[in-house]
């Protein structure tokens, strides 16, 4: 047991002899309080410390009683984050659902389908030119062939996949077509529970963990007829691209990691190993690997998608979303998974319909002006803004609020993560995690034990003010375009719960992709996706394929 952490004194210059006395007596003294004051940036008088003693020792006893109760990772705190401020409600337009229906024929080489969009695959399956079992076996073969190069999957779910594919084929043949995901193989970030297979969270500590139920997202995709073929890698406990079996790679340059934490989801999708995937984001875990790998990623509004059955990292910031090859693919997956389920208390059901005919002329588009004008903006960023301008729609300059020290409250995430993995820290099993460096969870969990509860509450109060300021900044627009890491937009919008779509925006001299992002209003995914789709159709960067993973040539007849 790490009693140093429980007393709030780890990392201080606490005299060894004094600490030994405190341990032996099992009580906190005025001297220990004085040492702890420095951690919180406070200073009390000796008389004040004397008055504090009885209560502080009572707290310590309460901590020990609290720790005698096992609290599973899936249990949320009684306090909930709500992205919609009191007195306001999302102003949503109810739209008609319309998706693309491309005309497509079966290729001579089935592997040519590895990079096709969901609408193309859906039409081939609906018209029975291709069976789900054929498609599933093709993707399973690619997973095995390219697994060593990318280290992008943890478990191949072949028995389940073949069973689901055969069921899809039988249903489609019988005229029971469930929709555009019916029969399409997909991969789950391995923080989503599936009761027939292990769910490792990417961490050695949980390598053999089996959760005896399916995550809501897994259930909903099964109901849509999709075929789960793999549990994909994530950085251990959703940070980075290093997991217990290696480091997931960027398909455009396998000397690079794929970034994280939705490492395998982005890598496998871009390499054509799955039809689509599900990732998660707390602070950049969809945006970052989508950027590195050239994927299209949707981070929905906080509360749009149930997190039941997903590993909890930060109850007030975690979000699940699709990582795909195109914006329309993301829209079709999101349409299947959004809404409340009665399990995740933060999940809400609000209208969403993908309208592929919605044009940017019907939207109010903005751009984050100072981010595009800053020294950090790249030629790619400016070219992306120019491409949006060329669509002929006026762009409205906006600014993200700068009156708050946003970086100063990012520890909200760290505090919640430390609570989610409290037992891991206290048991010393965090030593089993592969990454044992300053910027990795074991160290951050320990540091976060020393953040005062009062500062956590104060940070969340400032967060409420930030939410109001962002809503005011976006008052005149439906969507705005921004460099993906412009200013504090990534941290700010993850704290406020706003949705984002990240899309490819060109390629650097070394052949690796870059991205640009679109930010929407709360629960405004329909408009957000429409704007990103218009940009994507105009630029076509999402159609590029990593050369090392192209299908083998069609054998001669």
């Amino acid at each position: 047991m790490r009693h140093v952490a429980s007393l709030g004194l780890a990392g201080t210059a606490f005299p060894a002899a004094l600490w030994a006395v405190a341990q032996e007596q099992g009580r906190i003294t005025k001297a220990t309080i004085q040492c702890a004051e420095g951690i919180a940036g406070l200073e009390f008088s000796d008389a004040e410390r004397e008055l504090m003693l009885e209560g502080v020792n009572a707290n310590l006893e309460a901590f020990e009683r609290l720790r005698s109760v096992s609290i599973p990772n899936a249990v949320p705190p009684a306090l909930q984050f709500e992205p919609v401020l009191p007195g306001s409600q999302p102003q949503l337009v109810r739209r008609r659902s319309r998706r693309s229906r491309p005309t497509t024929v079966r290729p001579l080489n089935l592997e040519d389908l590895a990079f096709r969009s969901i609408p193309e695959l859906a039409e081939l399956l609906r018209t029975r030119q291709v069976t789900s079992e054929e498609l599933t076996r093709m993707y399973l073969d690619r997973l095995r062939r390219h697994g060593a190069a990318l280290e992008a999957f943890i478990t191949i779910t072949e028995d389940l996949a073949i069973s689901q594919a055969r069921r899809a084929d039988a249903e489609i043949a019988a005229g029971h077509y469930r929709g555009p995901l019916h029969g399409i193989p997909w991969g789950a970030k391995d923080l989503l529970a599936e009761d027939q297979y292990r769910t490792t969270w990417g961490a050695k500590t949980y390598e053999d963990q089996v959760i005896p139920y399916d995550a809501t997202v897994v259930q909903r995709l099964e109901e849509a007829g999709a075929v789960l073929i793999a549990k994909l890698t994530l950085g251990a406990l959703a940070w980075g691209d290093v997991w217990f079996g290696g480091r997931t790679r960027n398909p455009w340059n396998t000397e690079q990691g794929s970034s994280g934490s939705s490492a395998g989801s982005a890598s496998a999708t871009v390499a054509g190993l799955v039809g689509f995937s599900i990732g998660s984001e707390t602070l950049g875990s969809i945006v970052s690997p989508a950027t590195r790998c050239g994927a299209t990623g949707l981070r929905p509004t906080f509360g749009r998608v149930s997190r039941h059955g997903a590993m909890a990292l930060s109850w007030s910031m975690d979000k699940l979303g699709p990582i795909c090859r195109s914006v329309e693919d993301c829209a079709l997956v999101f349409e299947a998974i959004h809404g409340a389920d009665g399990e995740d208390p933060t999940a809400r059901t609000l209208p969403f319909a993908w309208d592929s005919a919605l044009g940017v002329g019907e939207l109010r588009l903005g751009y984050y002006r100072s981010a595009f004008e800053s020294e950090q903006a790249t030629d790619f960023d400016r070219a992306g803004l120019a491409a949006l301008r060329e669509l002929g729609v006026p762009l409205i300059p906006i600014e993200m609020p700068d009156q708050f020290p946003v970086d100063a409250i990012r520890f909200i995430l760290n505090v919640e993560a430390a609570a989610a993995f409290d037992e891991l820290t206290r048991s010393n099993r965090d030593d089993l995690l592969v990454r044992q460096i300053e910027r990795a969870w074991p160290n951050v969990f320990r540091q976060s034990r020393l953040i005062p509860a009062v500062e956590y509450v104060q940070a969340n109060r400032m967060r409420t003010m930030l939410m109001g300021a962002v809503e005011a900044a976006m008052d005149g627009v439906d969507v705005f375009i921004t460099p993906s890491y412009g200013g504090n937009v990534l941290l700010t919008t993850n704290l406020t719960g706003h949705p984002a779509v990240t899309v490819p925006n060109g390629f650097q001299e070394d052949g690796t992709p870059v991205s640009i992002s679109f930010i929407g209003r709360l629960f405004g995914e329909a408009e957000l996706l429409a704007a990103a789709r218009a940009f994507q159709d105009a630029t076509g960067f999402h159609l590029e394929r990593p050369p090392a993973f192209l299908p083998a040539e069609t054998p001669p007849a």
Side-chain angles (χ1 to χ4, degrees), residues 3-14 19 22 32-33 35-36 39 450:
H3 292 290
V4 174
S6 69
L7 288 171
L9 295 168
T12 68
F14 191 84
W19 174 244
T32 56
I33 291 174
C35 287
I39 294 171
L450 309 185

Side-chain angles (χ1 to χ4, degrees), residues 78 100 135 166 177 201 244 275 284 328 375 466 474-475 480:
S100 298
L135 202 58
R166 288 174 176 168
Y177 183 61
W201 301 344
F244 64 83
E328 184 163 21
E375 293 182 358
L466 178 67
M474 293 186 65
D475 187 51
F480 70 88

Side-chain angles (χ1 to χ4, degrees), residues 115-196:
F115 295 96
R116 296 288 182 90
S117 68
I118 288 176
E120 290 174 299
L121 295 175
E123 192 63 9
L124 288 167
L125 288 161
R126 187 186 71 84
T127 58
R128 299 174 62 192
Q129 297 180 64
V130 173
T131 68
S132 178
E133 185 171 351
E134 286 180 299
L135 202 58
T136 297
R137 291 190 184 279
M138 180 272 291
Y139 277 123
L140 286 169
D141 179 62
R142 286 181 60 82
L143 273 167
R144 290 193 174 93
R145 274 192 285 133
H146 298 297
L150 291 179
E151 300 179 60
F153 70 84
I154 293 176
T155 304
I156 291 180
T157 58
E158 181 168 7
D159 290 344
L160 175 64
I162 297 301
S163 172
Q164 290 181 335
R166 288 174 176 168
R167 183 178 66 188
D169 288 332
E171 290 175 343
I172 293 170
H176 177 42
Y177 183 61
R178 298 182 183 226
L181 303 185
H182 202 174
I184 295 183
W186 70 285
K189 183 175 180 177
D190 198 33
L191 51 59
L192 292 171
E194 205 295 323
D195 65 357
Q196 297 181 47

Side-chain angles (χ1 to χ4, degrees), residues 412-494:
I412 290 171
L413 162 59
N414 296 344
V415 169
E416 294 182 14
F421 290 98
D422 164 57
E423 194 276 334
L424 183 68
T425 301
R426 291 187 293 109
S427 68
N428 292 337
R429 290 187 303 123
D430 55 354
D431 294 343
L432 296 175
L433 298 183
V434 174
R435 294 174 73 231
Q436 296 287 337
I437 58 176
E438 181 180 0
R439 287 181 52 77
W441 282 133
N443 186 53
V444 171
F445 290 161
R446 296 167 200 146
Q447 290 175 337
S448 300
R449 309 292 300 212
L450 309 185
I451 295 172
V454 171
E455 309 309 330
Y456 171 75
V457 172
Q458 292 296 80
N460 274 293
R461 295 177 71 198
M462 195 185 89
R463 185 179 184 181
T464 300
M465 298 168 68
L466 178 67
M467 290 159 58
V470 171
E471 280 297 284
M474 293 186 65
D475 187 51
V477 301
D478 299 307
V479 181
F480 70 88
I481 189 172
T482 176
S484 294
Y485 305 102
N488 257 326
V489 70
L490 183 64
L491 174 57
T492 294
T493 57
N494 268 293

Side-chain angles (χ1 to χ4, degrees), residues 199-545:
T199 301
T200 71
W201 301 344
K204 186 71 175 175
T205 323
Y206 304 100
E207 183 178 3
D208 299 316
Q209 172 178 249
V210 176
I211 297 173
Y213 56 86
D214 289 352
T216 293
V217 165
V218 173
Q219 294 175 32
R220 288 187 170 166
L221 289 172
E222 183 173 8
E223 290 163 5
V227 175
L228 177 61
I229 63 171
K231 304 292 291 295
L232 302 173
T233 56
L234 68 156
L237 305 184
W239 189 348
D241 50 27
V242 176
W243 56 290
F244 64 83
R247 186 185 191 196
T248 308
R249 306 291 170 171
N250 176 7
W252 297 93
N253 178 358
T254 55
E255 296 299 311
Q256 290 182 347
S258 65
S259 188
S261 67
S262 303
S265 298
S267 181
T269 300
V270 170
L273 310 188
V274 292
F276 68 88
S277 61
I278 297 294
S280 70
E281 173 151 325
T282 308
L283 180 54
S285 288
I286 289 175
V287 171
S288 185
T291 296
R292 176 68 61 82
C293 298
T296 299
L298 167 62
R299 181 192 78 210
T301 304
F302 180 89
R304 265 292 206 178
V305 178
S306 170
R307 302 164 302 176
H308 173 65
M311 185 197 84
L313 187 67
S314 170
W315 294 280
S316 73
M317 294 178 69
D318 292 344
K319 299 161 286 285
L320 300 176
I323 295 179
C324 302
R325 287 190 268 278
S326 74
V327 170
E328 184 163 21
D329 287 5
C330 285
L332 295 174
V333 175
F334 177 68
E335 199 164 34
I337 64 175
H338 79 95
D341 63 347
E343 298 284 355
D344 179 350
T346 70
R348 300 175 62 171
T349 298
L350 289 168
F352 174 80
W354 169 240
D355 182 359
S356 63
L358 179 61
V360 289
E362 302 175 58
L363 304 175
R364 300 172 300 166
L365 299 182
Y367 71 101
Y368 185 1
R369 178 165 59 186
S370 62
F372 282 106
E373 294 175 351
S374 75
E375 293 182 358
Q376 285 70 44
T378 67
D379 289 341
F380 291 107
D381 294 327
R382 289 182 281 272
L385 179 60
L388 193 62
R389 288 189 193 279
E390 288 172 7
L391 296 178
V393 181
L395 295 183
I396 303 164
I398 73 162
E399 293 296 338
M400 286 286 93
D402 60 3
Q403 66 267 43
F404 303 105
V406 178
D407 283 338
I409 64 172
R410 67 182 298 160
F411 66 75
I412 290 171
L413 162 59
N414 296 344
V415 169
E416 294 182 14
F421 290 98
D422 164 57
E423 194 276 334
L424 183 68
T425 301
R426 291 187 293 109
S427 68
N428 292 337
R429 290 187 303 123
D430 55 354
D431 294 343
L432 296 175
L433 298 183
V434 174
R435 294 174 73 231
Q436 296 287 337
I437 58 176
E438 181 180 0
R439 287 181 52 77
W441 282 133
N443 186 53
V444 171
F445 290 161
R446 296 167 200 146
Q447 290 175 337
S448 300
R449 309 292 300 212
L450 309 185
I451 295 172
V454 171
E455 309 309 330
Y456 171 75
V457 172
Q458 292 296 80
N460 274 293
R461 295 177 71 198
M462 195 185 89
R463 185 179 184 181
T464 300
M465 298 168 68
L466 178 67
M467 290 159 58
V470 171
E471 280 297 284
M474 293 186 65
D475 187 51
V477 301
D478 299 307
V479 181
F480 70 88
I481 189 172
T482 176
S484 294
Y485 305 102
N488 257 326
V489 70
L490 183 64
L491 174 57
T492 294
T493 57
N494 268 293
L495 284 166
T496 61
H498 283 76
V501 173
T502 298
V503 297
N505 186 38
F507 292 83
Q508 302 177 90
E509 289 185 5
D510 65 358
T512 57
V514 296
S515 76
I516 203 157
S517 292
F518 292 80
I519 309 295
R521 296 183 68 84
L522 293 173
F523 302 97
E525 281 83 359
E527 294 77 13
L528 170 65
L529 288 159
R533 196 267 182 92
F535 174 89
Q536 197 162 71
D537 286 349
T539 57
F541 295 122
H542 67 297
L543 301 175
E544 299 294 326
R545 304 289 176 247

